[in-house]
Amino acid sequence: MAIFDFLKPKSKPNKVIKRQYAAASTSRLFSDFFDSNRSADSELYPVIRRMRNRSRDLARNNEYVKRYLDLLKNNVVGDRGFSLQVKAVNVTGELDQQGNQAVEDAFRRWCKLGRCTVDGKASFIDVQKMVMEGLARDGEVFIIKHRSASFHDSFALEFIEPDRVDEQKNEKASNGNDIRMGIELDRFRRPVAYHVLNHHPGDYDYSSISKSSSHTRVPADRVIHIYMPLRAGQTRGEPWTASALPAIKQLDGFREAAVINARIGASKMGFFTSPQGDGFVADEMQDSVPIMTAEPGTFHQLPNGVGFTSFDPAFPSSEFDDFHKSVLKGIASGLGVSYTSLSNDLEATSYSSIRQGALEERDQYRNLQRFFIDHVIRPIYESWLESAMEMGSFGIPLRQYQRFSEASEFRGRA
């Protein structure tokens, strides 16, 4: 039968498929490259509290993070905050100057210190700066809107920290909605309610030893949840400092070690040594260790058999400054600001390089201002306007709400 072997189909050799994307390589050089196909919420849930706490710690103790938060508040909000300009027109198509001025004046009165928040401790500019810092430091801000005759124009704001919207509450609600990290969502993932802890989980209850961990369900129409979603389906916000946190922490430790090393090197001159370990007469003892004190311009004669070994640590070396700048440039990129702004370092920089960095940074601030108007200023203003019109605060009835609301514009600092 071998004569008919040529009729048999020939088997094809195994084809080796060459990987076309180096980014998908699984070689040993990429063994520490962690890849995950989890959803945004699944990525955030296990680490959101730790990231938020670490970001707050650096905001308290790291000068660069504090500088970053100040840059955002100064350049996005500024000293005057966002200004309101109303351009509503009347039935003849002309500007309703009297009505527009009445709305602007009433809103300006509500923005004064003691009127816009339930505790009476902040002005509306303070509110804007608190939101800006909370967004960058914590990744999200929660504001509850209150309506009561005891407030100016029957409207005021209450800030609650993200810790009180319980990220550990993940369950199916009795009405069929999903509760994800304390936020109740309908089938379109639209927030329906927020489950707020009655007490801050990290606060000591001064009125009693025990504190309740029960929740209050707050309808979504009473809550302004401000965060910048980075992925589809993301329910909670992440700190804006997240990508730069590891480098900031390591650089902080590096600088601390360098300062301590330099201080020790400037304080300790050297060691006395002898073959038998004796023969040295000390000026004093510290923790059972003999110590000789020295004054500038003096020399000491050593006992027989005692030698001197100098202690001169070479670190921080001349390379410290270049390495420090290199790491800080990466941190500035992660935070979205220029190196010169973050570090206040204008050494060896030209006018053109500073101008280029300032232009790019200015565009970043403009984008943040647009986000701020859409997600913070306008929702608060529209809720205030509705309440003030219901109260008759400036003589314009509620039926005119749409005309003045749609004609209202906000502008940030230039």
Side-chain angles (χ1 to χ4, degrees):
M1 299 296 294
I3 192 173
F4 298 104
D5 287 347
F6 71 94
L7 297 176
K8 296 180 180 180
K10 296 180 179 180
S11 60
K12 296 181 180 180
N14 294 331
K15 186 177 181 181
V16 178
I17 300 177
K18 185 178 180 181
R19 195 179 301 274
Q20 298 298 319
Y21 292 95
S25 173
T26 57
S27 66
R28 60 181 180 83
L29 298 178
F30 291 83
S31 59
D32 60 344
F33 207 135
F34 179 75
D35 51 347
S36 170
N37 62 350
R38 293 187 295 180
S39 67
D41 285 349
S42 297
E43 294 280 4
L44 275 175
Y45 169 67
V47 298
I48 183 172
R49 181 178 297 180
R50 183 180 296 120
M51 283 198 304
R52 187 168 60 224
N53 292 338
R54 288 179 175 179
S55 182
R56 289 172 178 173
D57 176 74
L58 291 178
R60 289 190 295 264
N61 300 304
N62 185 272
E63 58 269 40
Y64 292 123
V65 175
K66 184 179 184 304
R67 170 67 174 167
Y68 167 63
L69 298 177
D70 288 340
L71 285 172
L72 292 178
K73 290 185 290 186
N74 293 337
N75 289 281
V76 177
V77 178
D79 61 331
R80 296 186 178 183
F82 290 80
S83 59
L84 168 66
Q85 188 173 20
V86 186
K87 298 181 179 180
V89 296
N90 52 30
V91 292
T92 62
E94 298 178 348
L95 283 175
D96 186 357
Q97 297 183 359
Q98 184 177 356
N100 293 337
Q101 191 64 47
V103 174
E104 292 176 5
D105 291 343
F107 186 66
R108 192 177 298 112
R109 289 192 296 270
W110 180 81
C111 291
K112 289 184 178 181
L113 177 65
R115 296 181 176 179
C116 58
T117 58
V118 293
D119 57 9
K121 296 180 179 179
S123 66
F124 194 52
I125 294 180
D126 297 330
V127 167
Q128 296 171 49
K129 292 182 178 180
M130 288 173 64
V131 172
M132 189 72 262
E133 180 164 349
L135 275 173
R137 184 193 61 226
D138 301 338
E140 56 186 351
V141 174
F142 292 90
I143 300 176
I144 298 180
K145 300 179 289 186
H146 288 272
R147 299 283 296 271
S148 172
S150 61
F151 303 131
H152 188 81
D153 293 336
S154 187
F155 181 73
L157 307 172
E158 178 190 7
F159 279 84
I160 61 170
E161 289 202 305
D163 312 68
R164 289 187 58 190
V165 181
D166 190 4
E167 65 267 10
Q168 301 300 317
K169 190 174 181 61
N170 298 276
E171 58 191 53
K172 199 80 169 179
S174 58
N175 56 9
N177 292 332
D178 287 329
I179 301 178
R180 284 200 170 199
M181 290 185 279
I183 302 178
E184 186 175 332
L185 308 170
D186 63 12
R187 64 188 184 94
F188 297 108
R189 299 187 61 81
R190 181 188 293 271
V192 175
Y194 294 82
H195 294 259
V196 181
L197 288 168
N198 293 334
H199 296 274
H200 192 292
D203 187 29
Y204 178 76
D205 187 359
Y206 292 94
S207 60
S208 63
I209 298 177
S210 62
K211 58 183 180 181
S212 172
S213 60
S214 58
H215 302 76
T216 297
R217 185 180 183 274
V218 183
D221 59 358
R222 289 189 54 209
V223 178
I224 302 176
H225 181 199
I226 311 156
Y227 71 105
M228 189 175 289
L230 304 177
R231 293 176 59 185
Q234 184 175 334
T235 306
R236 302 288 296 264
E238 67 178 56
W240 293 3
T241 58
S243 62
L245 276 179
I248 295 173
K249 180 60 178 175
Q250 296 298 330
L251 181 63
D252 196 36
F254 173 71
R255 292 167 60 237
E256 181 184 18
V259 170
I260 292 175
N261 190 76
R263 181 179 177 183
I264 293 175
S267 303
K268 189 181 291 293
M269 298 174 60
F271 306 91
F272 293 110
T273 61
S274 63
Q276 292 78 22
D278 55 6
F280 171 68
V281 179
D283 294 332
E284 58 179 310
M285 301 289 290
Q286 182 176 343
D287 297 332
S288 302
V289 178
I291 296 175
M292 173 182 286
T293 58
E295 297 179 1
T298 62
F299 297 89
H300 294 266
Q301 181 178 357
L302 301 179
N304 292 331
V306 176
F308 179 78
T309 302
S310 63
F311 177 73
D312 185 20
F315 191 81
S317 63
S318 58
E319 299 177 354
F320 171 82
D321 194 43
D322 292 336
F323 179 76
H324 181 271
K325 287 182 179 179
S326 177
V327 176
L328 194 56
K329 287 177 181 178
I331 292 173
S333 298
L335 297 177
V337 296
S338 66
Y339 165 76
T340 53
S341 297
L342 184 65
S343 64
N344 281 322
D345 180 14
L346 301 178
E347 183 182 0
T349 54
S350 63
Y351 170 78
S352 58
S353 62
I354 293 178
R355 176 173 172 77
Q356 179 64 27
L359 291 175
E360 294 181 359
E361 195 172 5
R362 192 176 302 164
D363 291 338
Q364 172 73 358
Y365 291 138
R366 285 200 182 104
N367 290 331
L368 290 178
Q369 285 181 336
R370 184 73 262 167
F371 173 86
F372 210 87
I373 291 173
D374 293 339
H375 293 262
V376 183
I377 304 297
R378 183 163 291 279
I380 293 176
Y381 166 75
E382 290 178 350
S383 296
W384 164 83
L385 182 63
E386 180 182 3
S387 176
M389 285 183 167
E390 285 183 357
M391 292 288 294
S393 299
F394 45 86
I396 299 178
L398 183 60
R399 64 176 181 272
Q400 299 290 330
Y401 168 81
Q402 200 75 16
R403 182 165 70 95
F404 286 93
S405 173
E406 293 181 353
S408 299
E409 298 178 358
F410 292 91
R411 294 180 181 178
R413 60 160 294 179

